[in-house]
Amino acid sequence: MNTPFTLAVCAEMQFTELPIIERIKKIGSYGVAVELWNWTDLDLQAIADTGVPVESMTGYISGNLTEDDGIEAFLNSATESAKASKILGSPRLNFHGTGLGEGGIPVDPVETVTGKMWAKAALTLDRLAGIAEEHDVIFEMENLNLAVDHPGTPFSHPSDILSLLEAVGSERIKVNLDLYHAQIGDGSLIDTCQQALPHIGEVQVADIPGRCEPGTGEVNYRNIAQALFDMGYRGTIGLEAWAKYDSDRAITTFIETFSNLEGDTK
């Protein structure tokens, strides 16, 4: 594997027939890292003992960015997530515009994001940056799509997140740029990557339709891989996708898509 990126695979979405520790070991056997969702359901020490690097995990348990009670719940659970992440070497901590419930549906869906909500969200992220500084971690806000998976999620577009990050101005708060969600909601993926580049903590990928591995849908991820390389991105690419056929094939295809790029002499 000759890739300029750090490649990682979501352990909740591949080898789902196996217990989580066995999934992580299996993914690690491909020479890639893993990513995790809700850490409260996991034995973090057992995961650390596998020796497989963890690139990211969920960075909050409850709450939201805009309501007083929700803000305190969000920040308190973000603090607990930051502390827990130390067991895994402080992977980046992922969060969204509001808490998600069963099936990814927002706990508190929002139809219209008001100016007051924007102001509250910016102040909340400023406080989150302080938590990140205190615990020496990075938090990443992930864009989501409204049309298919997460209707009613505020601050769901990449442009929304970038506006918030620019208002806060902290290197401790980044964007988790999920290109599956961006394609459904906005399109223009290479332009979006270029605009977000100074703020990207990670790029996540899955093809459309189906949310499966690259090469199974409409997105030319090979061109996107080359474009990311050409614009100077050298960070993490995460496969947050289901396997259309089987997990071995999905991971192999993912690795091939983001390896051996033109101009990469590493």
Side-chain angles (χ1 to χ4, degrees), residues 72-90:
E72 295 310 313
F74 172 78
L75 294 173
N76 288 337
S77 67
T79 299
E80 292 305 307
S81 298
K83 292 176 180 177
S85 76
K86 301 296 184 184
I87 299 172
L88 300 175
S90 298

Side-chain angles (χ1 to χ4, degrees), residues 239-251:
L239 178 67
E240 192 176 52
W242 306 107
K244 183 168 185 178
Y245 306 104
D246 62 73
S247 294
D248 293 291
R249 181 171 174 179
I251 294 172

Side-chain angles (χ1 to χ4, degrees), residues 13-26:
M13 300 179 79
Q14 298 294 328
F15 300 113
T16 55
E17 72 280 6
L18 299 176
I20 190 68
I21 297 298
E22 296 308 310
R23 295 182 208 178
I24 290 169
K25 291 178 179 178
K26 184 75 170 175

Side-chain angles (χ1 to χ4, degrees), residues 160 215-216 257-258:
D160 296 339
T216 58
T257 301
F258 289 91

Side-chain angles (χ1 to χ4, degrees), residues 131-167:
I131 293 170
E133 287 284 352
E134 179 182 353
H135 295 281
D136 193 22
V137 295
I138 300 292
F139 284 91
E140 296 178 339
M141 188 171 180
E142 181 183 3
N143 61 292
L144 301 173
N145 78 78
L146 302 178
V148 177
D149 299 291
H150 307 287
T153 302
F155 316 111
S156 58
H157 297 282
S159 58
D160 296 339
I161 295 173
L162 294 179
S163 294
L164 287 172
L165 297 191
E166 288 166 2

